[in-house]
Amino acid sequence: MRILLAAVNAPKGDLDGNLARHLAVLDQARAQGCEVAVFPEFSLTGSIDPRRHPGRALALDAEPVRALLEGTRRAGVAAVFGIAERAGSAFHITQVYGHSGRLGGAYRKRHLGEGEEGYRTGEGPGVFQLGAARFGVALCAEGEVDFPWTEAVAGGAAVVFFCSAPGLDGRRTDERGWREGHAWWVSSGLGDAARHARRLAVPVAMTTQAGPTEDEDFPGLAALVSPAGEVARLPDWRPGSLVVEVAADVTVQPVREAVRCLVVDHAGRALLFRYADARADGTWWGPPGGGLASGEDHLAAVRRELLEELARDDLHLGPWIGRRCVTFWLGRWMTQRERWLLCRAEPFDVDPAHLASLSAEAIQELRWWSAEELRSSQIVATPRDLPDLLDRIARGDLPDADQDLGT
């Protein structure tokens, strides 16, 4: 599992700014090949006191939460982020898990710290699934106790995300003050992470709010602690990101072998289907293709898919232009390994009656897209960098057959 740990500044009440920072981090995580981005406790709402500012808390179905979940679909990167949650008349410190545009779960803090008297404790361990991998969640003051960590590992977590927002006593007004606050959290928070990593023999990936807010400051830290106590971390208290890897494979077995045929016309436009499947939230666009039948080779599968989906058996095929391996949610977690083939063709239409016959395969629409149209639209295309791939093809800079085309 490749993870981006984001130590971000989360001003209290700045939902628009905090949301924008989260979405930018998701784009960064996608560019760096990460499957998940992990944010600190209270990262979306800021670390609020619900007794003073109840209106700053969010329900799980609030618009900023929905917008961030949608961001996971557009980026193709899962997210673990923090909110002050309002659930009826109760308030909780909640870490939200989202992937593929949907809510994957929420963990409500079960051991509260000093100054958190306005919140109620939650119930149940924080264990979630990303593909074939399970991860756990623990929050800030829970570093002082054992049960959230022990239960997460007992539930199959191969890594625990330690998400925190420890307010510093006194405002930080100079570099010396920031260094002292950061040193305290390295000793305390990172010390807790190392203790649990050794005790449970699992890696701990931690991330902490960074920088000043309207009424308190946060020490900032992102780190990965191995079960042996080895530490990789950001250098200081400032906002930043750290990309790490842990031995928790998200690939779901058996892997489905598949092909995609990128049909491109003389103007550099790609012929794409719009897929809309009830098992997934939202729609996406992608080229013709599908899974290999038993005993079928990749080239034979391309010919069959083009005949089935485009009613064409006369297109010029080749060359192979890359590979993709992606784990995704379609009512259940799946992993698909694709080979991509380029097919150059004059523009053509597909009979609407034939297109309508493909609705059982979740195909709803077909059209030609230029790279610029894809960039300027709000659609999700697969792979996410399809406009760049079309630019390369237009330049004659074809990817190698074994190049990874990304998610």
Side-chain angles (χ1 to χ4, degrees):
M1 184 189 293
R2 189 170 174 87
I3 306 161
L4 187 146
L5 302 172
V8 295
N9 182 231
K12 305 179 184 190
D14 183 16
L15 289 174
D16 290 342
N18 290 338
L19 175 60
R21 280 182 280 275
H22 281 71
L23 296 177
V25 168
L26 289 180
D27 287 340
Q28 178 189 353
R30 177 184 60 80
Q32 296 188 258
C34 299
E35 284 104 358
V36 59
V38 182
F39 297 89
E41 182 184 40
F42 291 122
S43 60
L44 186 57
T45 58
S47 180
I48 67 167
D49 184 340
R51 296 168 299 183
R52 295 174 56 202
H53 299 289
R56 291 180 175 180
L58 296 175
L60 287 176
D61 62 353
E63 176 56 32
V65 176
R66 293 200 305 268
L68 186 43
L69 294 178
E70 173 64 14
T72 68
R73 184 174 72 89
R74 294 194 177 281
V77 176
V80 178
F81 60 95
I83 65 170
E85 181 196 358
R86 183 165 197 158
S89 61
F91 296 91
H92 296 277
I93 300 171
T94 301
Q95 208 70 9
V96 182
Y97 170 44
H99 65 78
S100 313
R102 65 187 294 273
L103 177 65
Y107 173 67
R108 291 168 169 171
K109 191 172 186 178
R110 294 188 289 161
H111 175 76
L112 300 175
E114 182 181 351
E116 295 175 346
E117 292 80 10
Y119 291 99
R120 292 186 189 175
T121 55
E123 298 178 354
V127 182
F128 304 99
Q129 194 91 19
L130 177 57
R134 288 192 171 190
F135 63 87
V137 173
L139 299 178
C140 205
E142 292 182 332
E144 304 167 352
V145 296
D146 289 351
F147 68 92
W149 305 77
T150 301
E151 292 179 19
V153 174
V159 57
V160 178
F161 298 151
F162 185 28
C163 308
S164 303
L168 296 172
D169 290 332
R171 304 311 301 268
R172 306 291 129 167
T173 58
D174 55 25
E175 183 167 323
R176 178 180 177 181
W178 281 109
R179 289 193 180 280
E180 289 175 349
H182 183 254
W184 162 76
W185 187 239
V186 169
S187 173
S188 176
L190 189 57
D192 286 336
R195 178 175 72 85
H196 292 297
R198 292 192 188 98
R199 182 176 66 87
L200 297 169
V202 295
V204 173
M206 66 180 298
T207 184
T208 308
Q209 277 198 35
T213 66
E214 64 186 17
D215 58 3
E216 63 180 338
D217 305 328
F218 296 90
L221 182 63
L224 176 68
V225 184
S226 77
E230 300 165 329
V231 177
R233 66 179 178 91
L234 293 180
D236 56 34
W237 62 90
R238 297 176 178 89
S241 61
L242 180 70
V243 175
V244 299
E245 292 185 355
V246 299
D249 192 357
V250 302
T251 302
V252 178
Q253 299 293 340
V255 175
R256 182 179 189 241
E257 299 291 342
V259 291
R260 292 288 172 193
C261 185
L262 187 60
V263 182
V264 178
D265 72 5
H266 58 79
R269 301 180 305 166
L271 185 63
L272 305 178
F273 285 119
R274 180 172 67 88
Y275 296 89
D277 196 302
R279 296 170 293 176
D281 294 330
T283 66
W284 66 99
W285 292 78
L292 272 62
S294 178
E296 189 176 41
D297 65 34
H298 288 81
L299 191 57
V302 169
R303 292 193 176 102
R304 174 181 53 76
E305 291 289 345
L306 290 176
L307 183 60
E308 291 176 357
E309 297 185 345
L310 300 180
R312 298 291 296 265
D313 61 0
D314 59 343
L315 298 176
H316 176 72
L317 305 181
W320 296 102
I321 56 167
R323 298 176 180 268
R324 236 177 126 237
C325 187
V326 58
T327 297
F328 57 95
W329 176 266
L330 198 61
R332 62 183 176 89
W333 286 107
M334 302 173 59
T335 296
Q336 182 161 283
R337 184 163 47 220
E338 303 170 350
R339 292 191 67 188
W340 281 54
L341 188 79
L342 177 63
C343 175
R344 298 185 186 274
E346 294 297 316
F348 61 87
D349 295 321
V350 174
D351 188 309
H354 180 76
L355 185 61
S357 72
L358 302 175
S359 61
E361 299 180 40
I363 293 172
Q364 304 296 320
E365 188 179 352
L366 180 68
R367 63 161 283 187
W368 296 88
W369 287 88
S370 71
E372 288 310 310
E373 287 171 334
L374 288 171
R375 286 193 180 95
S376 62
S377 72
Q378 294 297 309
I379 69 163
V380 174
T382 54
R384 265 71 177 181
D385 293 331
L386 182 56
D388 295 338
L389 177 58
L390 292 178
D391 287 342
R392 290 190 61 178
I393 292 171
R395 296 194 303 268
D397 177 24
L398 299 185
D400 181 83
D402 289 323
Q403 182 168 331
D404 184 0
L405 300 179
T407 58

